[in-house]
Amino acid sequence: MNIDLQPVEYDPFGGPEITKVIPAIEPQLEIWTACHIGGADASRAYIESVSMRMTGAFNRQAIERALKAVVNRHESLRSVFSTDGTDMLVYAEIDANIQYGDLSALVPQEQNEYIDNFIKENGLLPFDLVAGPLFRCSLFELSHSECYLTFSAHHIICDGWSLGIILQDLSRYYNAFISGGIPEIPAAPSFSSYADAQREFIGSIEYAHTEKYWLSQYEDSVPAVEMPLDFPRPVIRTYKSTRVDYALDVPTVLALKAIGIKAGCSFATTLISAFEIFIQKLTKQHDIVLAIPAAGQSATGNTGLVGHCVNLLPFRSSYNGTTTFTGYLKDRKSRILDSYEYQQLTFGTLLKKLNIPRDPSRVPMVPVVFNIDMGLDNGVAFSGLEYKLNYNPRQYETFELFLNVSGSEKELVFEWSYNCRLFTELSIEAMMSDFKALLSFFIQQPDLKIADIPVFRQDEIKVNPTENNTVEYPKEKTIHELIQDSAELYPDNTAVFFNGQSFSYKNINQTANQLAVLLQINGVKPGEVVAIALERSPEMVMALLAVLKAGAVYLPLDPAYPKERVEYMLEDAKAKVLLTSKKFEGSFTTSATSLYMEDARIRLPRYSFENAVSPVKGNALAYIIYTSGSTGKPKGVQIEHSSVVNLLLSMQNKPGITAADRLLAITTIAFDIAGLELYLPLITGACVVLADTDAAKDGRLLAALVKSEGVTIMQATPSMWRIMLESGDYNALPAKILCGGEPMGVDLAARLLPRCQSLWNLYGPTETTIWSTVKQVVMDNDALLIGKPINNTRIYIYDELLQALPAGETGDIFIGGDGLSRGYVGKPDITALVFTEHTLPDGTKEKIYRTGDTGKWTPDGDIQYIGRSDNQLKIRGFRIEPGEIENLLLSQEDISEAAVVAKDNRLLAF
């Protein structure tokens, strides 16, 4: 759909004549700085734009002439800025041409589609603050009796009040021109005079009183508003936003207005007060700051002024346990009026005076803004034309949440602009629903204590975490018995492929049988701990199976780990035998008996390679694996066979694996997700393509392995997938990709989806056996969901009182079911702290694990991961407790204080 727009390019200033140089006022300097630092996205966040659909006999020439008259009437519209942003340069005149397009040949649907696309593209086109112009206007002819007019300007020279003045002036000039006359309009207030007055005010006594008023509001503290977010907060603040509009029905509007009148409050004060309470309820914070824009034109008597005169007023509010809505309104009336009385201290100045540290990921002090924009078109009337006014949504926004109330007191529209990287439309829809419900409470029971108003979303059904995932499975079977079954079904299939060599199921199983006998001859009894410290090889896989077949518990160790950490784990787990190689002889001081694989190879042929009856059942321990510890020492997690069997059989179905698959195993056995990489293929008849130690760390080598060995499935952390993508061979990715260990991120999902047949997001703590939820990622945003529980696993999302939360509300994630570990080795107190008893609705009790993660249910029953509720970190998928590192640092001589933080997927210690 190509429409010629005229003119495409023009020189708006027609010459270099500059009549004034006005030093920029502080709010303008702040905008200039934000645009300079934030780039095009930040500049897009400052676009003010309105449109009018006009019906009637419009006169194109009169509209164009009227626009030129309006532009040359107001200094701000003829202005640009110096390269350093310190000065506003005002031109004598400007050629304010309208971009024109004839859409009359299109059917109405095509016209609407074209205009919608134009509005979106217009919102993406940033203004050049130095070259100008800082406004643009477009006119589309829809028919001989209908047109569509759009006016956009940069916020640095135009605010919401200014848009109303521009529309008023435009209609006055238009009406005069179509009748052949000249409008009788008094001279426009000049922005230069306004700016001079602002600078003079700074040195006045009134300014000192204004500053004192605002500083007194925050002399004790500055509340930090923490909105419940849908997505993890980006490290660097983003601006991408969208807007959804909802109407408020007339009866509610009239009833709310009546309550305000009864309390002696204006409708604006009533709406502001109600929204303050809503934010307090939503955030569960009784002390908040809400930003309210105030028009400087009104405060200074320059009602006809066009320019950037708006100021943000940070309203601080709270209520106590006995406050009613009526009481709250009466109290807020005087406070809100006082705030407006002292509105001339700029928000930027207050931030500096309060010395609030800047956080690159956040809006300082006021992430939420509430604005009332009713009557934007008061006094706007075009002769012979009827119009409908639209405030065009921004596609980029400077605030996290901006609620603008437009329309009239009888027909209100709530325009919710929200940051797309923090909120979903579903959450905004829920907010509007909750706000309307809260207003209904105020209308019906204005004298009810605010504290007694029920929690929001009472009508939503709480998600049932036990629904449809209870599946029968052989609980008595062990891991090695499942693999023995595969060896009988697929004896000649390749079980492990390593550095060009293939090892069949028969070979792997029989060698593991012989090694199990050797372990038993060396005194290993069922339930005793055998540590394994071997380099990545088929022998490592056989050793793991052998320990299980002997009925023992394996302790997986990475020989590359720090010596002190390995020795602590050997002692803490009370390992009886250390199965290792002579390469590591003498590397670790331990009371465990060392058994070297080189010696074992010589002795194995003398032992039976037949399957023996397993000396243990499914409820026996399979392995102990250590995680980072918050107290300075790693914690050993005890996992039973049946927990692993449940996981494997569930994962065999979803994400799914067949005997024809080849899974690339890259993870150290000291990281629990290695269990899935090794055992899932082996219970299925598939092939484990085992990467050696060097390849497991090199994205380029892994990509080569995927391609050369026909790998169809691979599991890795998001960090490793990024390394793979940066290897350069984007096509060398397996058909099925499993991603877990840390949040995937929308950006990574967008890169992986086109390069694989299916992408799966996995989540689960070590304490609940590798993975607890699974989600197939179909769209980019699916990456933010961790899905539903795997078989025989239950997820609970609770508030701080351990009450189940409905869909949409963020809380702490608890996990129950068959994946739970026994707890931590030798740490009953810590075990009791995080493994708590839970009573089901039917009265039965179960043990659940407090993950330390936060999340929320979606209406579809998926879980969205939000983040950590404690100080734990994930670096390249590895769980890290800063406390462990800090304690180690503090144990060093000459270190008295230490702090560990995460930055760019790295750890920094101070």
Side-chain angles (χ1 to χ4, degrees):
M1 192 186 303
N2 295 317
I3 304 296
D4 290 330
L5 300 177
Q6 298 295 334
V8 177
E9 296 181 1
Y10 65 97
D11 178 5
F13 300 105
E17 186 181 357
I18 296 174
T19 58
K20 286 185 181 179
V21 177
I22 307 171
I25 60 176
E26 184 173 356
Q28 290 177 314
L29 287 169
E30 291 169 3
I31 293 176
W32 187 92
T33 303
C35 294
H36 182 71
I37 295 174
D41 285 356
S43 185
R44 293 179 180 116
Y46 288 105
I47 295 176
E48 301 280 354
S49 181
V50 291
S51 292
M52 289 192 293
R53 183 181 288 268
M54 299 173 159
T55 55
F58 73 93
N59 186 315
R60 174 186 169 187
Q61 289 73 28
I63 288 179
E64 292 181 342
R65 186 182 170 195
L67 176 69
K68 293 176 182 179
V70 171
V71 168
N72 288 301
R73 171 177 165 78
H74 297 287
E75 287 180 342
S76 292
L77 298 180
R78 292 182 273 118
S79 300
V80 294
F81 283 77
S82 59
T83 54
D84 61 0
T86 58
D87 291 315
M88 182 176 172
L89 314 178
V90 183
Y91 282 83
E93 61 180 18
I94 182 171
D95 185 12
N97 286 20
I98 292 182
Q99 191 177 34
Y100 175 79
D102 187 353
L103 307 183
S104 59
L106 304 179
V107 299
Q109 182 178 348
E110 291 175 327
Q111 290 176 346
N112 292 335
E113 289 176 358
Y114 184 88
I115 289 173
D116 288 344
N117 289 332
F118 173 81
I119 295 297
K120 289 178 182 177
E121 292 174 6
N122 188 50
L124 294 174
L125 183 62
F127 289 97
D128 188 327
L129 299 183
V130 175
L134 300 184
F135 73 92
R136 49 181 173 259
C137 191
S138 302
L139 178 67
F140 295 105
E141 185 173 350
L142 307 179
S143 70
H144 70 280
S145 62
E146 190 172 21
C147 67
Y148 195 91
L149 179 71
T150 296
F151 181 87
S152 304
H154 197 284
H155 192 44
I156 202 169
I157 56 103
C158 180
D159 54 22
W161 185 288
S162 300
L163 287 175
I165 300 302
I166 291 168
L167 294 178
Q168 287 179 18
D169 288 352
L170 187 65
S171 68
R172 289 170 183 168
Y173 277 111
Y174 176 83
N175 295 340
F177 292 156
I178 63 171
S179 61
I182 297 176
E184 295 181 2
I185 306 177
S190 69
F191 189 80
S192 54
S193 297
Y194 173 81
D196 289 341
Q198 292 298 295
R199 282 185 286 274
E200 291 176 8
F201 174 72
I202 293 175
S204 67
I205 295 176
E206 185 182 353
Y207 177 86
H209 289 316
T210 301
E211 181 180 286
K212 182 179 179 181
Y213 169 81
W214 284 109
L215 291 177
S216 68
Q217 303 294 306
Y218 299 98
E219 59 186 357
D220 57 341
S221 64
V222 181
V225 178
E226 294 288 348
M227 293 290 288
L229 306 181
D230 293 314
F231 311 131
R233 185 182 295 278
V235 176
I236 301 298
R237 178 178 161 194
T238 61
Y239 298 88
K240 187 71 180 78
S241 73
T242 191
R243 195 184 89 191
V244 289
D245 299 346
Y246 303 96
L248 190 64
D249 59 277
V250 174
T252 299
V253 173
L254 295 177
L256 196 62
K257 185 179 180 182
I259 287 178
I261 292 173
K262 188 175 181 181
C265 295
S266 68
F267 189 47
T269 296
T270 305
L271 284 176
I272 291 170
S273 301
F275 192 69
E276 286 175 339
I277 295 171
F278 170 71
I279 295 298
Q280 292 166 16
K281 285 279 186 181
L282 184 66
T283 60
K284 299 180 175 67
Q285 296 175 262
H286 295 310
D287 187 10
I288 64 159
V289 181
L290 181 69
I292 307 292
Q297 292 95 330
S298 177
T300 59
N302 293 291
T303 55
L305 178 61
V306 169
H308 179 78
C309 308
V310 69
N311 187 29
L312 283 179
L313 305 182
F315 285 10
R316 185 174 187 175
S317 65
S318 62
Y319 64 85
N320 60 41
T322 62
T323 304
T324 66
F325 183 57
T326 301
Y328 186 85
L329 271 181
K330 292 177 179 178
D331 178 67
R332 291 301 292 160
K333 174 186 174 182
S334 59
R335 293 176 183 270
I336 289 174
L337 289 175
D338 286 346
S339 296
Y340 278 116
E341 182 71 23
Y342 293 105
Q343 67 177 271
Q344 286 187 266
L345 181 73
T346 68
F347 178 66
T349 298
L350 179 62
L351 284 181
K352 293 174 186 176
K353 294 287 184 179
L354 293 175
N355 197 27
I356 297 175
R358 295 296 177 104
D359 182 342
S361 70
R362 294 174 179 267
V363 178
M365 193 173 178
V366 287
V368 182
V369 180
F370 183 78
N371 186 47
I372 300 175
D373 220 358
M374 296 183 295
L376 180 63
D377 58 344
N378 284 348
V380 179
F382 291 86
S383 180
L385 295 174
E386 294 183 358
Y387 69 88
K388 181 178 180 181
L389 179 67
N390 292 311
Y391 201 120
N392 297 323
R394 291 190 182 115
Q395 297 183 61
Y396 291 82
E397 180 59 76
T398 55
F399 301 98
E400 294 179 7
L401 185 67
F402 191 120
L403 176 56
N404 185 60
V405 181
S406 66
S408 67
E409 292 186 2
K410 289 187 177 180
E411 295 181 353
L412 287 190
V413 176
F414 286 68
E415 301 167 349
W416 297 76
S417 296
Y418 60 94
N419 188 304
C420 301
R421 297 291 179 260
L422 300 177
F423 304 99
T424 65
E425 185 174 341
L426 282 174
S427 288
I428 301 302
E429 183 179 353
M431 287 185 199
M432 183 62 202
S433 176
D434 291 346
F435 190 32
K436 288 174 68 175
L438 187 67
L439 295 178
S440 295
F441 269 107
F442 292 156
I443 291 168
Q444 295 167 14
Q445 302 180 65
D447 294 323
L448 179 69
K449 293 177 184 177
I450 296 172
D452 292 339
I453 294 175
V455 178
F456 297 136
R457 304 174 206 181
Q458 292 297 299
D459 57 338
E460 289 191 19
I461 300 173
K462 291 183 173 63
V463 177
N464 181 0
T466 64
E467 187 177 5
N468 296 329
N469 76 333
T470 301
V471 177
E472 292 294 327
Y473 70 100
K475 290 186 179 181
E476 293 304 307
K477 271 206 166 183
T478 59
I479 302 167
H480 52 276
E481 286 176 328
L482 289 183
I483 296 173
Q484 286 173 185
D485 293 343
S486 287
E488 291 181 8
L489 286 172
Y490 311 101
D492 298 323
N493 280 16
T494 298
V496 178
F497 178 89
F498 180 77
N499 286 349
Q501 290 183 291
S502 295
F503 298 81
S504 70
Y505 272 83
K506 181 178 180 180
N507 176 235
I508 290 286
N509 187 57
Q510 289 183 348
T511 305
N513 285 336
Q514 292 173 314
L515 185 54
V517 175
L518 177 60
L519 288 171
Q520 291 169 329
I521 289 173
N522 277 269
V524 173
K525 295 181 175 57
E528 292 185 328
V529 178
V530 176
I532 298 176
L534 294 167
E535 288 189 318
R536 300 178 64 78
S537 65
E539 281 188 336
M540 179 192 73
V541 179
M542 297 174 197
L544 293 169
L545 293 178
V547 174
L548 296 177
K549 286 172 178 281
V553 181
Y554 70 79
L555 171 65
L557 302 173
D558 190 327
Y561 275 14
K563 177 176 181 291
E564 293 79 5
R565 184 178 179 88
V566 172
E567 289 177 350
Y568 171 82
M569 291 188 284
L570 285 166
E571 179 184 359
D572 189 62
K574 297 179 173 55
K576 181 168 185 177
V577 172
L578 172 60
L579 193 55
T580 185
S581 66
K582 290 190 174 179
K583 176 179 179 179
F584 304 112
E585 186 175 4
S587 296
F588 311 113
T589 302
T590 175
S591 60
T593 302
S594 295
L595 179 60
Y596 300 107
M597 288 300 294
E598 292 85 349
D599 296 335
R601 285 191 212 107
I602 299 172
R603 299 171 59 185
L604 289 186
R606 69 183 73 168
Y607 304 123
S608 171
F609 53 71
E610 297 295 332
N611 293 330
V613 175
S614 176
V616 294
K617 297 294 184 183
N619 59 356
L621 280 184
Y623 61 81
I624 296 172
I625 195 161
Y626 278 77
T627 68
S628 188
S630 58
T631 59
K633 295 294 185 181
K635 304 188 295 289
V637 181
Q638 305 172 91
I639 302 295
E640 296 180 356
H641 279 267
S642 60
S643 296
V644 181
V645 168
N646 177 64
L647 166 83
L648 296 175
L649 294 178
S650 183
M651 300 297 283
Q652 195 178 46
N653 178 53
K654 185 190 291 186
I657 187 172
T658 70
D661 279 311
R662 295 171 67 82
L663 188 151
L664 179 58
I666 67 170
T667 307
T668 170
I669 59 170
F671 190 4
D672 68 329
I673 69 174
L676 180 130
E677 295 177 357
L678 299 177
Y679 302 142
L680 182 59
L682 294 181
I683 71 164
T684 312
C687 174
V688 177
V689 178
L690 188 65
D692 63 25
T693 303
D694 292 334
K697 302 172 184 176
D698 190 317
R700 181 180 51 83
L701 295 178
L702 289 176
L705 261 179
V706 170
K707 184 177 288 187
S708 65
E709 302 310 325
V711 170
T712 59
I713 304 177
M714 179 176 160
Q715 170 187 258
T717 64
S719 300
M720 180 53 72
W721 285 120
R722 294 182 194 278
I723 292 172
M724 287 276 285
L725 289 170
E726 296 305 320
S727 70
D729 191 351
Y730 292 152
N731 294 321
L733 294 178
K736 184 174 290 185
I737 287 176
L738 313 184
C739 189
E742 59 192 69
M744 182 188 299
V746 171
D747 60 328
L748 179 59
R751 297 175 70 186
L752 291 174
L753 276 170
R755 299 182 173 97
C756 65
Q757 290 181 8
S758 65
L759 174 62
W760 299 79
N761 199 9
L762 309 174
Y763 163 83
T766 301
E767 287 83 349
T768 60
T769 310
I770 308 177
W771 302 127
S772 299
T773 70
V774 59
K775 170 69 177 178
Q776 182 172 5
V777 177
V778 179
M779 301 179 296
D780 297 355
N781 280 344
D782 289 341
L784 304 164
L785 304 175
I786 57 175
K788 296 180 173 65
I790 67 168
N791 292 347
N792 305 300
T793 299
R794 291 173 291 280
I795 306 291
Y796 304 92
I797 298 181
Y798 287 156
D799 62 16
E800 63 274 12
L801 300 177
L802 297 185
Q803 298 296 312
L805 291 172
E809 292 202 21
T810 299
D812 295 314
I813 299 177
F814 290 76
I815 301 178
D818 291 3
L820 257 65
S821 73
R822 288 188 186 176
Y824 302 115
V825 173
K827 293 178 171 59
D829 293 343
I830 299 177
T831 298
L833 188 65
V834 295
F835 291 88
T836 60
E837 194 173 73
H838 169 70
T839 303
L840 293 171
D842 63 4
T844 59
K845 297 183 182 298
E846 71 166 342
K847 185 171 67 172
I848 57 174
Y849 171 67
R850 182 191 296 269
T851 66
D853 294 322
T854 60
K856 62 167 70 173
W857 292 106
T858 71
D860 295 331
D862 281 324
I863 302 158
Q864 184 176 322
Y865 177 83
I866 301 299
R868 293 291 302 172
S869 59
D870 56 20
N871 294 325
Q872 190 186 97
L873 306 171
K874 282 288 185 80
I875 302 295
R876 293 183 293 279
F878 288 89
R879 201 166 90 182
I880 294 172
E881 293 280 1
E884 181 182 353
I885 301 172
E886 289 168 358
N887 281 324
L888 184 61
L889 291 171
L890 291 171
S891 69
Q892 307 303 305
E893 190 174 354
D894 299 329
I895 295 181
S896 59
E897 294 185 15
V900 174
V901 297
K903 183 176 178 61
D904 302 329
N905 217 21
R906 297 174 292 123
L907 283 180
L908 298 180
F910 301 93

